[in-house]
Amino acid sequence: MYSNLTDILSQDGAEKAVVADAQALVEQELSNKSGISAAAVKLAYKAVSSFAPGYYEKTVGLMVPDMLYQLTPFWQDFQAAGGGSFGDYLAKRSDEVGPALLKVTDSMASASERPVVVKAYNTVRGSAQKHIEAALPNLGALVEKYAA
């Protein structure tokens, strides 16, 4: 079991598997969404994923280590508390976890030199916390898959 989540990525082949699962999680979460805010998120996803071949995959690969870093204090607290599922733990602390994860995407957006990507991100940034909160149980399960 890992106490520092970024250590997961040092295992042979783990980084590629974690990134693939993270991409699948994003796609699953998108397919489960409906309504006006979902349409904006789906449009932003389409803009980013069709921007340039491989751009979306590369971006997710860059985000995973930083997101694991942001999740590490929550993971350590979860381990100390003992029991339950990490997804439930994250969902109960969504008001702390959401902003921690948004630091990663906000930082990437502010450093991006791709106006299409920045515009797409800014379009959905206002509802991002809500979308992250909805994904936390599944994100926690993904982390547990590799960290436990």
Side-chain angles (χ1 to χ4, degrees):
M1 184 170 301
Y2 296 92
S3 61
N4 183 346
L5 292 178
T6 56
D7 290 345
I8 294 169
L9 303 176
S10 65
Q11 298 302 311
D12 190 35
E15 185 167 6
K16 186 175 181 178
V18 172
V19 169
D21 282 354
Q23 291 171 346
L25 174 62
V26 169
E27 291 162 11
Q28 173 191 342
E29 291 294 323
L30 281 171
S31 71
N32 291 338
K33 296 198 176 308
S34 62
I36 293 172
S37 70
V41 171
K42 289 178 181 184
L43 184 61
Y45 170 79
K46 184 175 181 176
V48 170
S49 62
S50 62
F51 176 72
Y55 178 78
Y56 166 71
E57 293 79 7
K58 180 181 176 185
T59 301
V60 172
L62 292 171
M63 288 185 342
V64 164
D66 292 339
M67 290 202 162
L68 289 174
Y69 174 80
Q70 290 295 331
L71 289 171
T72 292
F74 299 104
W75 176 251
Q76 291 169 345
D77 188 57
F78 166 74
Q79 286 182 306
S85 79
F86 190 48
D88 289 342
Y89 173 91
L90 292 176
K92 289 176 186 170
R93 287 156 184 79
S94 62
D95 58 328
E96 301 167 64
V97 178
L101 294 175
L102 284 169
K103 286 180 185 178
V104 176
T105 55
D106 287 348
S107 175
M108 290 188 80
S110 69
S112 178
E113 296 178 3
R114 301 179 186 261
V116 171
V117 172
V118 174
K119 183 176 180 180
Y121 181 73
N122 289 336
T123 301
V124 298
R125 177 56 175 88
S127 63
Q129 175 79 21
K130 175 179 74 168
H131 296 297
I132 287 174
E133 288 174 2
L136 288 176
N138 290 329
L139 177 60
L142 187 154
V143 170
E144 276 190 296
K145 175 180 174 180
Y146 292 98

